[in-house]
Every structure is written in C-alpha cells, then in structure tokens.
Amino acid sequence: MSMTSSQPPLAHTLASGVFEVSHPLIECHLTALRDVATQPLSFRSHVRRLATLLAYEATQDLAVEPVPVTTPLTKTTGGKLSQRIGLIPILRAGLGMVDPVLDLIPTAEVWHLGLYRDEDTAQPVEYYSKLPPGRPVDVALVVDPMLATGGSMLAALETLRRWGVGQVKLLSIIASEEGIRNVVSEFPEVQVYVCKIDPELNDVKYIVPGLGDAGDRIFNTLG
Ligand code: PRP
Ligand code: URA
C-alpha cells in the first residue's frame, strides 16, 4: 500500500542511507527555528512539526502485517505495525521530538538516553541509560534535533549496538557535514534522516548557520 507511488520521493538521497528531506514545509519551519527571535513556545511547536515530517519520511519502510477490521459497512483487511519500535530521545533536546513521533506511533516504546556535551571538550558524557538487558527493540528511532560533531550520536549508537538493536534510524533536524561523516563512517548501516545539512562547525563546535543551543531554546534555559 503506497500513497506516493506516482509522486517523487520527498527525501533527497545524499549517500546510501543519508536522507536530507526536502519539502517546502520543512523549509518554512526550519527558518522559524533558526530565527534568533523565535521564542521557546513557538520554537517547541516548530520542533514538533519538523519531527512529524521527519518521522513520516523515516518510517516509510516499517513492516506492516494484515489485520481484519470491521467498518460500519463490511469486513475488510487493514494493517498494523509488526515490529517493536523503540523511540530513543537523547536528553535533553531529543525530548522535544518525542510527542510528535509518539502521536504517529502510539505503540512505540520510549527509552531515554542521557548524554550531554562537555562544553570545554565537546565530548559526550553519559548520565542516564536504563535499557533493559536482552529484548532489544526491532527498530530504534533515535531523536535529537542537533548532530554537530556526532559525538553524542556515536555514544548513543554504541549503546544501542550493545543492546542488540537490529535496525537504527536517526532523526535530526540539523546536522553538520562533519557529524554525518563521523556517524556514517562508524555505523554505515544506520539510516540518517535530517531536515538540513549545514556546512560547518564553529570553533566551539556549534553548527553554522545552525540554530544555537537546541536544548536551551526548547527548555528556555538560555539564562
Ligand atoms: C546537544 C544536542 C546533541 C549534541 C550534539 O545536546 O542536542 O545531543 O549537543 O552535539 P555533538 O554532535 O557534538 O555531540 P547538549 O549536549 O547541548 O545537551 P542538552 O540537550 O541537554 O542541552
Ligand atoms: N548542540 C546544539 O544544541 N547546537 C549546536 O549547534 C551544537 C550542539
């Protein structure tokens, strides 16, 4: 069952497994996110909309099994997801993308990973992980609005590899070229879905042009 068979795909494939999703609505919401004048309430709502659009794109190949359904008129056959889906937000900023993806996949399990970037070294520091030993999900959707050096994502991917997850998809709103290269070189099997790939990192490893600190802008902790 495909809704897009006669339409061009939304995602522009950059390299095998890396998709920069091109869509007018993404362009508009992303512009609002980048704007330094956008306040937290509005910032959060643009994050939610972009997460929805990314998730739509990233979930096109999820497996579906047939189920019977009774409509007011007759019996027919529908479909339901046949795999265990895990939604893995990287704290804190990834939390901003959880609800919109859960709205689309209400049966997803949410497993939080706590990672922050040390401000002096830009290295990831893990502070929370409670993945249960054994019983990994079949498909993990890792959500984090920003992929800068890729260090936090690489740490998350190591954790998911140890858990034994079969298929991993990353959903980030903005990624740097360098960050994507770092992730793909260590985890070539992972699929990466981003709204935009920005060209560079500055001297403190922030994405340029970027949008600043996503966690601080979502949670209003810029001070
Ligand atoms: C941000 C962002 C990513 C990470 C990206 O989180 O949400 O997790 O930095 O940078 P990297 O690719 O160089 O690792 P941050 O460490 O600021 O934590 P926060 O979400 O709690 O604000
Ligand atoms: N984390 C952010 O929130 N933004 C960046 O540009 C880099 C890391």
Side-chain angles (χ1 to χ4, degrees):
M1 166 171 33
S2 169
M3 296 169 57
T4 56
S5 55
S6 61
Q7 298 168 2
L10 292 179
H12 168 53
T13 305
L14 297 172
S16 176
V18 179
F19 304 95
E20 185 179 37
V21 182
S22 170
H23 191 285
L25 298 179
I26 285 188
E27 189 66 32
C28 296
H29 292 298
L30 183 58
T31 301
L33 269 196
R34 289 193 193 276
D35 190 336
V36 67
T38 299
Q39 296 300 303
L41 177 67
S42 178
F43 191 91
R44 288 190 288 270
S45 73
H46 292 295
V47 167
R48 283 196 295 272
R49 291 166 191 150
L50 289 166
T52 300
L53 294 164
L54 270 184
Y56 172 80
E57 212 36 29
T59 53
Q60 290 201 43
D61 61 350
L62 292 186
V64 170
E65 66 186 14
V67 285
V69 59
T70 305
T71 79
L73 305 178
T74 187
K75 293 181 189 305
T76 184
T77 302
K80 70 167 189 174
L81 295 176
S82 61
Q83 295 166 297
R84 276 176 60 219
I85 312 294
L87 179 54
I88 320 286
I90 299 182
L91 306 181
R92 293 174 300 167
L95 289 175
M97 300 173 72
V98 168
D99 283 350
V101 183
L102 267 184
D103 280 346
L104 296 176
I105 314 174
T107 54
E109 302 169 25
V110 183
W111 296 101
H112 301 83
L113 291 182
L115 289 159
Y116 72 87
R117 228 172 53 147
D118 181 293
E119 286 189 9
D120 296 324
T121 63
Q123 292 301 307
V125 179
E126 184 180 290
Y127 60 91
Y128 184 85
S129 175
K130 295 263 184 193
L131 300 178
R135 296 199 69 247
V137 293
D138 299 313
V139 181
L141 305 177
V142 186
V143 291
D144 189 333
M146 308 302 277
L147 197 162
T149 63
S152 304
M153 195 58 89
L154 284 170
L157 290 172
E158 285 293 350
T159 300
L160 295 178
R161 180 183 271 166
R162 283 197 300 276
W163 194 24
V165 176
Q167 189 183 14
V168 179
K169 294 163 180 274
L170 312 184
L171 283 66
S172 284
I173 292 175
I174 301 181
S176 74
E177 287 184 15
E178 178 181 326
I180 290 189
R181 267 201 308 277
N182 289 339
V183 166
V184 169
S185 67
E186 284 206 36
F187 292 88
E189 73 283 9
V190 163
Q191 291 177 316
V192 182
Y193 290 85
V194 297
C195 295
K196 201 71 182 177
I197 299 174
D198 277 359
E200 53 191 348
L201 298 174
N202 67 12
D203 56 353
V204 287
K205 306 293 184 192
Y206 269 71
I207 299 175
V208 180
L211 53 72
D213 189 303
D216 282 340
R217 295 193 67 185
I218 289 171
F219 294 110
N220 196 19
T221 52
L222 275 166

